[in-house]
């Protein structure tokens, strides 16, 4: 069994990843090396920010536990409000913009799991890494 505590085991370690753009901080509680088949994150989307994202290589489900914001789908132009209790699942690799009006705290699951250090590239994509590539 794996037991981890955000404050004791994640904050201030390599598992706390800040986006190069400064728009989010991802606290990664489970990664691919944990062999769960998914990774599990507690992510903050900072207030007043907009992030362009395209998970071309991953599926992601997101559950909001606090804050306020919205997700805009690029292809359709649809916008969905995000608040405590809202879940969205990107089951079609949708390109989107994520905006926070009040800091969003989002619980996120990725399949395949992230290896640890992934950050969005200029196209909003996370590379598909293996643990060996991460270690190299
Ligand atoms: C909701 C979302 O995709 N935010 C960007 C960060 C990502 N969730 C992560 O790596 O934790």
């Amino acid at each position: 069994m794996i037991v981890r505590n955000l404050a004791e085991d994640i904050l201030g370690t390599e598992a706390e990843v800040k986006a190069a753009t400064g728009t989010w901080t991802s606290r990664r509680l489970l990664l691919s090396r944990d062999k769960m088949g998914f990774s599990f994150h507690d992510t903050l989307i900072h207030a007043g920010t907009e992030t362009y994202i395209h998970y071309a290589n991953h599926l992601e489900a997101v559950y909001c536990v606090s804050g306020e914001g919205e997700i805009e789908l690029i292809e359709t132009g649809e916008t969905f409000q995000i608040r405590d209790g809202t879940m969205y699942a990107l089951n079609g690799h949708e390109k989107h913009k994520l905006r926070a009006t009040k800091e969003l705290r989002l619980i996120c699951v990725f399949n395949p799991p992230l290896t640890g250090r992934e950050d969005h590239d200029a196209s909003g994509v996370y590379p598909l890494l293996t643990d060996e590539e991460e270690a190299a």
Side-chain angles (χ1 to χ4, degrees):
M1 191 172 116
I2 301 167
V3 179
R4 291 183 182 136
N5 178 274
L6 180 67
E8 291 172 11
D9 304 316
I10 306 296
L11 300 184
T13 74
E14 286 229 316
E16 183 181 27
V17 176
K18 295 176 197 292
T21 57
T23 60
W24 52 260
T25 302
S26 176
R27 294 85 65 88
R28 297 178 171 167
L29 291 141
L30 287 171
L31 291 166
S32 67
R33 61 176 168 269
D34 296 311
K35 308 287 185 210
M36 292 291 289
F38 55 85
S39 57
F40 185 85
H41 315 178
D42 179 334
T43 299
L44 301 175
I45 310 295
H46 303 304
T49 65
E50 175 181 280
T51 307
Y52 173 75
I53 299 174
H54 179 209
Y55 292 124
N57 302 311
H58 298 85
L59 300 172
E60 185 195 29
V62 175
Y63 183 68
C64 177
V65 295
S66 67
E68 286 178 14
E70 63 181 23
I71 178 171
E72 177 185 343
L73 299 184
I74 303 300
E75 287 199 3
T76 66
E78 288 170 290
T79 298
F80 301 90
Q81 299 304 305
I82 302 170
R83 62 181 193 282
D84 183 11
T86 304
M87 186 282 301
Y88 66 86
L90 297 162
N91 59 347
H93 305 283
E94 293 90 342
K95 296 175 185 170
H96 61 282
K97 289 179 183 170
L98 188 58
R99 302 185 186 97
T101 44
K102 290 185 190 163
E103 182 173 79
L104 285 166
R105 187 173 184 187
L106 304 176
I107 309 304
C108 312
V109 176
F110 279 82
N111 171 25
L114 301 196
T115 60
R117 303 298 306 161
E118 288 90 342
D119 192 357
H120 298 132
D121 67 15
S123 301
V125 175
Y126 281 166
L128 191 57
L129 296 176
T130 63
D131 284 322
E132 292 70 31
E133 287 163 333
E134 162 81 5

